[in-house]
Amino acid sequence: NSIIGDQYRWPKTVPYYFEDDLEINAKGVILKAFEQYRLKTCIDFNPWEGEQNYISIFKGSGCFSSVGNRHVGKQRLSIGTNCDRIATIEHEFLHALGFWHEQSRSDRDDYVTIMWDRISEGKENNFNTYNDTTSSSLGVPYDYGSMMHYSKTAFRNGTEPTIVTKIPAFADVIGQRMEFSDNDLLKLRRLYNCTRSSTFLDTCDFERENICGMIQGPGDQAEWTRVIQAPGGPNTDYSNMGKCTGSGYFMHFSTATGRPADTARLESRLLYPKRGYQCLQFFLYNGGGANDQLVILVREYDEAHPNGTLRVIQPIYAPPQDLWQLHHVSLNVAKKFRVVFEGIKGDAPSTGGLSLDDINLSETTCPDHVWRVKNFSHVMETTPNNKPIYSPPFKSREGYTFQMGLYPSGKEGYPGELSAYAHLVTMTGDTEVRKWPCPWKQMTMMLFDQNPDIMRRMNNQRSVTTDPTKKLNETSELFFWDDPLKVGVEVSEADGTKYFRGPGAGTTAYLTHGRAKSRDFIKGGDAIFLLTMEDVSHLTVTQPVPSSTMPPVTTITTAILPPTDPCTKVTCGNEGVCVVDAENAVCRCAVGDDWWYYGENCQYLGSTQDTMTTALIASFSVLGGMLVVTAVSVVCVKRKYKNSGGVGDRGITMSNVSV
Amino acid sequence: TPRVLEYDVDGGRDLDIFDINEEAGLNLVEGDIELDEKQAR
């Protein structure tokens, strides 16, 4: 629920500043959180460019934020140790954007029961509610799935829950820290009057007959058709897996008829990019011939080519199999365009064709690698506790190889959990020159929520970053992220491949089995992990400060500023900021609604109370002065008349005068 | 295959925001909300 008052809103683009003390992994995860805001809402984040108010993200001793824009200039938001999870960061930013916790809304007692006798002594005030003149639930129903809801164990004094949901099915839903719920997004969009999101372009599950405005392309010989089943497979769509009678559509290009090299083009509606890079994601089922092919193209429009020009992006490698395969294609389009799915009939015999479902297009980067664990429910149930399974080794853009280790039944002592670790790997015989210990690469392990709509997905992800200075242990001279040839163990796979697996970093508590079985984490029996390794070494340097301003002296040293900056010699106290005005350094002091700092260095605190006192003193002084002047005047006049003895009417006879 | 060392980034504990702040000795409103002067008054 949101704090009422327009003064608490930020502009739709929020300025932020990464303080130097932030962990590198935290910085990387914060940037990922910003990407989720950009994808799912109209909120954007920009590095601070001297705006009067901005969010200063620092490594405090915990995870906390203020609620709403407090107009204090530099507003603190702490991402401390263990706070570097995407959902925790999104949670704190929802506070900063103006939201309280969900269970503090005025109607919460209709939906949950607070067990007051199970709350730690003195912590009861954490279960206060705000009435509807202070906070607004923005016309959205109570949301057990909100990432702003306490978990059932919050502030408990024992082992029993402090919050009991009136609908028991939600007992373990409250407290999810995975991603924005649908209602979190609805409220945020309402609060900030969002009409569109920054980086979302299109989603289509083909459930509606208008097929999301897609068109059959010109110049082809065959067509894509909207079906609920196709000869040669698949028997169901991917969105619903055939669960709902009368729905469950997908697009199919039959290669059972026609001639080799016949094409069928399915073109998206017109799209208008802003960023210049996009990720296209879709599920493809190849039930056709061995040589049938899908090629991704874009049709780009400009003034010289009003009918568009086709550009091939890439052919998709998808051998025929009884499986909806997940594919990602990176695009780099900067002008008005359509995405084109071109099916090409091969020369091998076919009794089926190509099928497409659950297409999503966004202006984001694609994940690097897909690890599909088939029959995952069974794997979770049958794998012994403390036994890991490993993804294949994947190569990153920078040439490092890595893999994910997963304990489907948790590590020892953690039954009912998924535990996950990221490892560096060196393949036997690999002679590529790389820098060791591996410097500042962030590995992200994401369990993919296979909801058809990218905006509604609540993926579960954790990231770890290779710190080249980290030792293997306290007494070791070896580095944790050194070449696995040196610090790892040799592994032989069943297919004969050999490699060295380095130490892993991750968490025993990646996700509970209960949550893994929820939503669409497992679909058609399978779980999909999206794995990425990104270079984050650029985050080791200080964020540049705006050219005309200096950040608070407590966090940034003056050494990084140009020597000619007049602000280098000025220290603004009480979180004031220095600006250059007509080549002179002046302090802009922090202000609140009824208080402010002032003085050359913001050293004095003023408030409306002080002003009222001053005004009252001034008024009484003036009144007193006037009384003295009046009294003196009266006395003087009296004396004057007393001395003259009534000579005022001398020589005038007062007779027959009417007044 | 012999096991490699595995490092738990969160010490093997699934800590919620409020647990982290409590361990840090923070006494914030509702566990993770910081008040400004005006609100505190």
Side-chain angles (χ1 to χ4, degrees), chain A residues 1 20 33 63 102 117 129 132 172 188 240 252 264 327 359 396 426 463 507 519 528 559 581 627 630 636:
Chain A
N1 59 125
D20 273 354
C63 343
E102 183 69 359
D117 56 334
T129 54
D132 52 15
D172 292 318
L188 187 52
N240 302 324
H252 181 71
H327 289 274
I359 296 171
S396 77
T426 296
S463 300
T507 174
R519 303 193 61 78
I528 296 175
D581 187 3
L627 283 170
T630 310
C636 290

Side-chain angles (χ1 to χ4, degrees), chain A residues 76 92 101 386 407 414 504, chain B residues 3 6-7 12 30 32 34:
Chain A
R76 304 190 323 154
E92 296 310 330
H101 292 123
N386 207 32
Y407 290 76
Y414 294 88
Chain B
R3 290 280 181 91
E6 281 162 351
Y7 168 72
E30 293 185 16
D32 70 337
E34 193 176 44

Side-chain angles (χ1 to χ4, degrees), chain A residues 399-640:
Chain A
Y400 290 94
T401 308
F402 70 108
Q403 71 176 171
M404 177 179 173
L406 177 73
Y407 290 76
S409 287
K411 283 190 86 172
E412 193 174 358
Y414 294 88
E417 291 274 353
L418 299 177
S419 306
Y421 296 86
H423 302 261
L424 290 179
V425 160
T426 296
M427 306 305 290
T428 302
D430 182 359
T431 54
E432 189 174 331
V433 177
R434 286 168 293 245
K435 195 173 177 185
W436 300 106
C438 177
W440 308 117
K441 310 294 173 205
Q442 186 170 54
M443 293 175 275
T444 300
M445 304 172 280
M446 178 192 286
L447 176 57
F448 179 50
D449 179 9
Q450 300 173 59
N451 188 297
D453 185 348
I454 194 171
M455 300 262 233
R456 303 189 61 194
R457 288 176 184 157
M458 286 166 54
N459 302 322
N460 187 68
Q461 60 178 294
R462 291 299 295 269
S463 300
V464 294
T465 296
T466 62
D467 176 349
T469 64
K470 182 180 169 59
K471 293 283 174 63
L472 207 54
N473 57 50
E474 283 173 8
T475 55
S476 177
E477 288 301 307
L478 295 169
F479 290 98
F480 192 94
W481 297 110
D482 210 338
D483 190 342
L485 280 170
K486 204 190 290 184
V487 292
V489 297
E490 189 170 23
V491 177
S492 298
E493 293 291 359
D495 63 0
T497 54
K498 288 187 174 182
Y499 57 87
F500 286 82
R501 176 185 300 139
T507 174
T508 49
Y510 179 72
L511 192 66
T512 63
H513 278 196
R515 290 223 159 99
K517 289 173 187 168
S518 71
R519 303 193 61 78
D520 283 321
F521 289 121
I522 302 172
K523 202 165 181 179
D526 299 352
I528 296 175
F529 291 90
L530 304 179
L531 307 175
T532 300
M533 181 191 260
E534 294 158 286
D535 180 44
V536 288
S537 50
H538 61 284
L539 298 176
T540 59
V541 297
T542 300
Q543 179 176 326
V545 291
S547 56
S548 63
T549 58
M550 190 183 98
V553 290
T554 49
T555 51
I556 302 294
T557 58
T558 51
I560 58 166
L561 292 168
T564 52
D565 189 340
C567 277
T568 53
K569 292 174 186 166
V570 175
T571 304
C572 302
N574 296 309
E575 303 195 345
V577 291
C578 178
V579 299
V580 179
D581 187 3
E583 298 184 1
N584 295 317
V586 288
C587 287
R588 295 277 188 257
C589 306
V591 295
D593 285 348
D594 59 355
W595 57 269
W596 57 91
Y597 286 104
Y598 64 100
E600 202 174 326
N601 301 101
C602 303
Q603 68 270 43
Y604 305 119
L605 176 64
S607 72
T608 46
Q609 235 173 358
D610 299 343
T611 317
M612 282 172 69
T613 312
T614 311
L616 280 171
I617 291 170
S619 305
F620 282 119
S621 305
V622 170
L623 189 65
M626 286 172 71
L627 283 170
V628 169
V629 169
T630 310
V632 168
S633 305
V634 168
V635 168
C636 290
V637 170
K638 264 187 158 183
R639 273 187 187 168
K640 187 180 173 186

Side-chain angles (χ1 to χ4, degrees), chain A residues 101 103-104 108 114 116 119-130 150 155, chain B residues 27-31 35:
Chain A
H101 292 123
Q103 81 292 325
S104 71
R108 71 104 188 271
I114 305 300
W116 294 100
I119 298 169
S120 298
E121 201 180 334
K123 302 280 182 186
E124 293 84 356
N125 59 347
N126 292 302
F127 291 85
N128 290 345
T129 54
Y130 301 98
Y150 281 179
F155 304 103
Chain B
N27 190 20
L28 297 160
V29 174
E30 293 185 16
L35 298 187

